Amino acid sequence: MAISPAGLRPEPGSFRDPANRVFHDGDDVLRGLDAQAAEHWRALAASDFFTALLAAGKVCGTEAVEPARLPGATRWATVLRHERIPFVSHPYEWSFTMLRDAALLHLEILRAALPAGFTTKDGSAYNLQWRGTEPVFIDVGSFEPVRDGEPWAGYRQFCQTMLYPLLLGAHLGVDFQPWLRARVDGIEADALRPLFRGFRRLSPGVPTHLHLHAAMQNRHAAATTTDVRAELRAAGYSGELALATVRGIEKLVRRLDRPPATSHWADYQRTCGYTEQDRAGKERFVTNALAGGPRPRLVLDLGANDGRYARLAARHADQVVAVEQDPAVVDTLYRALRAEGQRRILPLVMDLADPSPGGGWRGVERASFADRAAADVVLALAVVHHLAIGRNVPLPEVVAWLADLCAPGARIVVEFVHPEDPMAQRLLANKPEGTFPDYRRAEFERLLAARCDIAGREELPSGTRTLYTAVVGD
């Protein structure tokens, strides 16, 4: 296969490992390997364990592209082509069970690699992505031959981006998402230790992987990696012990759980005030809007709740990203979708009034939600009033944001809840009188028409909600 360098775009999140770098060439995802990394790849590709992982879909589809060169000062010895993940997400957008399943996959892969003479030099949660509710390991460049007597190099990353967030949720009932969003490298042990004092010091996993780990880090703060490796070899650290350690962590992670708690949003479908006639009319309108154009590659369902409309969209689209603010609701949805074997719906935790920004180095290492979107269809059902009234986002900003999430020519299926609707009245009751003089159906239609062509509208039988299909201009 010939590769055209003219369309190549470096992946902003792939620069920390000088041995390999990821590029995008249209829909192709390419990874350049230097000479040593290429040698590791050839050994990896010839191994039975890696072939089995590929066949099971636990590692992203990968093939060598020969011959090829990628631009830059380094001339890459080998180029790999990976399958494209439908939608890239970040660990702080996952629910508890999603993070646990991703962690278990990483440990399973490591447990298979070690007896075959390989390890992973990274342990970051960012090295995993999703095909719907199926986790997949994407950092093929992380595999390298294991050296006897050396610990897992990715252990600290694994703790900071996966194990510590899980400990927060399982033992303290604390949502980890704000912690991970605040620091791209995850939660450091010293930041977490003050929360695990007294009887909490003895919680499963805490004595060894938090307090002892932190003590060892502080003890060896001035030591070089070479010094630490030499000390471990002298102490008799072996490959068998490394494998036993991984099995122990895997057993711990399987035990960690946080059953989804009840919340206001968990019961929203019952309390939101829809009649059966409204619900039937809404489903019919959404179905017609989804089926009335080219098959969407990506649908965003904003405010997905229990996934009712995400499931409907999945019948007509390649991929649906179901966004909901409440981590407990997303976790319940994820568990249900996982049980169904659903591979077209990816549920994510996100506050729509505070969507994921760009993060990491120069603010682009982890792309913002808006930069990842480019949806073919955006479902914004029962969302506008929560943003405009509940969160005081001006109506023009709400409409502009919805349009900006779309690819050119995309469709927006949006619901406008009239000011006299019981749900809108409930939200307005908490605001000073006259705060939202422009929250009117006519003004919403004017704003929508300024950015889109309104292709369809339907008032629901209750008379206080109107649905629109709008096509975004180029």
Side-chain angles (χ1 to χ4, degrees):
M1 169 191 170
I3 298 175
S4 168
L8 287 171
R9 176 176 60 85
E11 166 55 49
S14 171
F15 67 90
R16 294 184 181 271
D17 185 351
N20 66 101
R21 184 76 192 266
V22 174
F23 297 82
H24 300 273
D25 184 21
D27 283 340
D28 284 339
V29 180
L30 308 173
R31 183 187 299 270
L33 305 176
D34 70 9
Q36 185 177 55
E39 182 181 342
H40 293 166
W41 157 252
R42 286 190 289 272
L44 180 69
S47 67
D48 292 338
F49 93 92
F50 185 73
T51 303
L53 290 173
L54 280 176
K58 295 179 179 181
V59 174
C60 67
T62 302
E63 62 179 350
V65 179
E66 294 282 5
R69 294 182 186 273
L70 294 176
T74 302
R75 292 191 179 275
W76 305 104
T78 297
V79 173
L80 306 179
R81 180 172 58 188
H82 301 303
E83 70 170 286
R84 177 169 288 279
I85 299 301
F87 188 86
V88 173
S89 59
H90 304 321
Y92 47 82
E93 297 166 346
W94 304 346
S95 72
F96 179 93
T97 309
M98 292 176 73
L99 184 64
R100 187 183 64 185
D101 285 353
L104 288 171
L105 176 60
H106 198 144
L107 292 168
E108 178 186 348
I109 289 170
L110 185 60
R111 180 166 45 80
L114 286 171
F118 281 88
T119 186
T120 57
K121 58 187 174 184
D122 302 307
S124 173
Y126 291 94
N127 289 343
L128 295 114
Q129 287 297 325
W130 299 87
R131 303 186 195 97
T133 56
E134 179 184 68
V136 55
F137 187 83
I138 64 169
D139 190 11
V140 173
S142 179
F143 288 101
E144 66 176 7
V146 67
R147 288 169 287 195
D148 199 39
E150 292 191 5
W152 177 29
Y155 173 65
R156 180 174 179 176
Q157 280 186 329
F158 181 86
C159 287
Q160 292 185 180
T161 62
M162 289 197 264
L163 182 56
Y164 293 167
L166 292 173
L167 294 179
L168 265 179
H171 297 325
L172 302 181
V174 173
D175 292 328
F176 62 79
Q177 290 82 6
W179 292 66
L180 284 185
R181 175 170 157 172
R183 291 185 61 88
V184 71
D185 292 328
I187 307 169
E188 294 186 0
D190 282 342
L192 203 59
R193 290 177 74 189
L195 301 182
F196 286 93
R197 300 195 185 281
F199 70 92
R200 291 185 176 134
R201 287 181 61 90
L202 302 179
S203 301
V206 171
T208 300
H209 299 291
L210 180 59
H211 291 297
L212 181 59
H213 185 200
M216 293 294 290
Q217 284 181 335
N218 294 333
R219 175 186 170 192
H220 294 292
T224 66
T225 301
T226 302
D227 293 336
V228 175
R229 288 171 176 168
E231 184 177 334
L232 285 169
R233 286 195 194 97
Y237 191 86
S238 64
E240 290 76 13
L241 185 56
L243 185 58
T245 300
V246 171
R247 287 173 174 154
I249 299 173
E250 188 175 20
K251 183 178 179 181
L252 166 65
V253 172
R254 288 191 185 281
R255 292 171 57 196
L256 297 176
D257 195 14
R258 186 187 181 191
T262 57
S263 70
H264 163 73
W265 297 108
D267 205 26
Y268 185 72
Q269 288 292 354
R270 186 180 63 81
T271 62
C272 62
Y274 285 105
T275 65
E276 284 303 314
Q277 293 80 7
D278 277 0
R279 200 180 302 280
K282 185 173 177 178
E283 290 190 7
R284 183 171 56 251
F285 185 90
V286 172
T287 299
N288 291 337
L290 287 163
R295 181 178 176 85
R297 292 180 64 178
L298 175 64
V299 173
L300 298 182
D301 182 11
L302 306 179
N305 200 259
D306 64 0
R308 186 186 194 98
Y309 295 98
R311 287 182 174 89
L312 191 156
R315 302 173 195 165
H316 303 276
D318 295 340
Q319 181 75 11
V320 180
V321 176
V323 181
E324 176 57 51
Q325 175 181 346
D326 192 320
V329 173
V330 174
D331 208 55
T332 299
L333 176 58
Y334 170 75
R335 292 182 187 217
L337 294 172
R338 183 184 60 179
E340 297 165 15
Q342 177 59 256
R343 293 183 59 178
R344 287 187 179 173
I345 302 176
L346 172 65
L348 295 179
V349 178
M350 195 179 308
D351 181 354
L352 295 177
D354 183 20
S356 300
W361 174 245
R362 300 179 71 179
V364 297
E365 184 180 357
R366 306 301 174 199
S368 70
F369 178 64
D371 287 340
R372 287 173 281 147
D376 300 303
V377 175
V378 170
L379 301 181
L381 306 171
V383 163
V384 170
H385 61 299
H386 284 293
L387 291 173
I389 302 175
R391 302 298 291 275
N392 285 49
V393 180
L395 199 56
E397 290 287 332
V398 176
V399 174
W401 178 66
L402 292 176
D404 288 345
L405 292 176
C406 295
R411 287 161 279 166
I412 300 175
V413 184
V414 59
E415 178 178 11
F416 184 77
V417 176
H418 304 183
E420 59 271 22
D421 182 88
M423 180 59 70
Q425 286 292 306
R426 190 183 309 173
L427 293 171
L428 287 166
N430 297 319
K431 307 289 183 178
E433 188 174 350
T435 303
F436 302 101
D438 295 329
Y439 185 81
R440 296 289 182 269
R441 174 179 169 179
E443 177 63 6
F444 176 77
E445 288 192 4
R446 185 188 71 80
L447 293 168
L448 190 63
R451 291 294 303 266
C452 313
D453 294 325
I454 298 177
R457 63 168 60 80
E458 180 177 323
E459 189 170 294
L460 293 178
S462 64
T464 62
R465 297 181 179 225
T466 305
L467 299 169
Y468 299 86
T469 300
V471 180
V472 179
D474 294 340

